[in-house]
Amino acid sequence: ASCGSYTAARRWVEQPLTAVLLLLTSRFYLSSATRGFARVFHSWDMHLLSNDTWLLLHIEPSRVQAAEVVAALELRRASCTLPSRLRLAGAYAWFETPLGNNVLLLERHIDVPGFLGVNLNATAYHPASYTTCNKKSTLEYNLANKYYPVQGMSLEALDYFDFVLKVDADITMMQRLRPSPAYAMSRGRHVFLRTSPPFGITTCEATISRACRAFAEATCKQLLATRPPLDYPYGNFLGMWLGLFQSPELLLFAQHWWAWPGGWQNRWTDQPFWHQALWATSSSEKAISMKDWRDSAFRHGGTLGSPIDVSKYKDHLMKAGRQPKRHPG
């Protein structure tokens, strides 16, 4: 690929597969009464997952156990065998949801940058110079968000998919997305899907321009002729085509972004990354906005959903021949 472009890691296909990638770094994000994934999972099972949309659930084993996840979500072992590459990688297991949708469960420690000098359990850690930006953000929260562009996009399991969705654990699905995210992106060869208007970056992300300029100076001086976008979408529901986001050029930018010291000092989440990644690969015009889905097809906040939704879920379970031990609601 030419400078400022990318070498596609995928071809566009007519029947794509989508992975919904979710990282759980502690049992709080699984079972919290207000933010826990277990409270909204029934809505994902009904309205988000399907034969061509799987859940790829990565858990940090030092802080949440697989048995807890399986029990809370009422998963059952799938009868199929994992592909050989995932068997060799270890730590993957294949489950089915109460409605028969597919879940790949990964137990693997996430990487913590060595220069921080702490591990994930040090949730109260802040640098000595940390006085102004995002003061209440913990290292755990910072890592859990910055995980997606680098560690998340490098997972072996994603080799079997065409698109990946990043959906927060406290998103409630209220109806099935129409069109599907994969179709919405495929029909126009869009490489990135956002579900909110872009917002201006605050002073807490003040070093982003310097980070982008440093990347351009080191890898592609042609990028210096264009200004990196200083805005970001909400990060709680995004879609990415893996042809771009697993390309070597984009992963190189992601590694640079991950290592940039200002991102740790100012507690960047993943939100500032996405638009800058499009800039680094000259792909900004290939994004699509599906902001109408927000608050119509899904909402952010970890609520259970309406009693009608819960009732419908129980009806679906009964039709599938299952009566769960734990009923939603």
Side-chain angles (χ1 to χ4, degrees), residues 77-262:
R77 284 275 184 177
S79 58
C80 301
T81 303
L82 282 169
S84 58
R85 185 168 183 226
L86 298 189
R87 293 201 306 272
L88 291 173
Y92 284 96
W94 191 343
F95 290 90
E96 290 184 354
T97 71
L99 293 182
N101 292 309
N102 293 291
V103 177
L104 290 177
L105 181 62
L106 170 63
E107 295 180 82
R108 180 182 292 166
H109 295 292
I110 65 172
D111 293 334
V112 180
F115 65 82
L116 289 177
V118 295
N119 59 32
L120 188 60
N121 288 307
T123 55
Y125 171 79
H126 291 293
S129 60
Y130 198 66
T131 59
T132 57
C133 295
N134 304 322
K135 289 189 292 185
K136 295 183 180 180
S137 293
T138 62
L139 175 62
E140 177 183 7
Y141 183 78
N142 199 202
L143 277 166
N145 282 276
K146 293 189 75 170
Y147 153 91
Y148 287 92
V150 183
Q151 296 182 56
M153 293 298 166
S154 302
L155 294 178
E156 308 90 344
L158 288 184
D159 290 349
Y160 299 91
F161 297 90
D162 304 284
F163 294 96
V164 61
L165 301 180
K166 175 185 179 282
V167 184
D168 278 10
D170 56 352
I171 288 285
T172 300
M173 299 301 303
M174 297 186 291
Q175 60 182 355
R176 192 158 288 276
L177 301 171
R178 302 294 184 203
S180 70
Y183 182 78
M185 287 188 275
S186 292
R187 63 183 177 183
R189 301 291 173 93
H190 297 292
V191 298
F192 181 69
L193 181 149
R194 56 179 173 255
T195 58
S196 74
F199 296 88
I201 288 176
T202 70
T203 55
C204 292
E205 286 75 39
T207 66
I208 282 183
S209 291
R210 295 206 301 274
C212 290
R213 183 175 179 83
F215 176 79
E217 289 279 5
T219 64
C220 181
K221 288 184 170 58
Q222 292 179 28
L223 288 172
L224 295 172
T226 61
R227 182 180 178 182
L230 296 180
D231 59 13
Y232 59 84
Y234 284 151
N236 50 46
F237 200 117
L238 301 169
M240 286 71 73
W241 180 53
L242 289 167
L244 171 60
F245 283 88
Q246 282 193 330
S247 68
E249 296 83 0
L250 195 139
L251 289 175
L252 180 65
F253 177 75
Q255 290 285 355
H256 171 83
W257 178 86
W258 167 269
W260 185 255

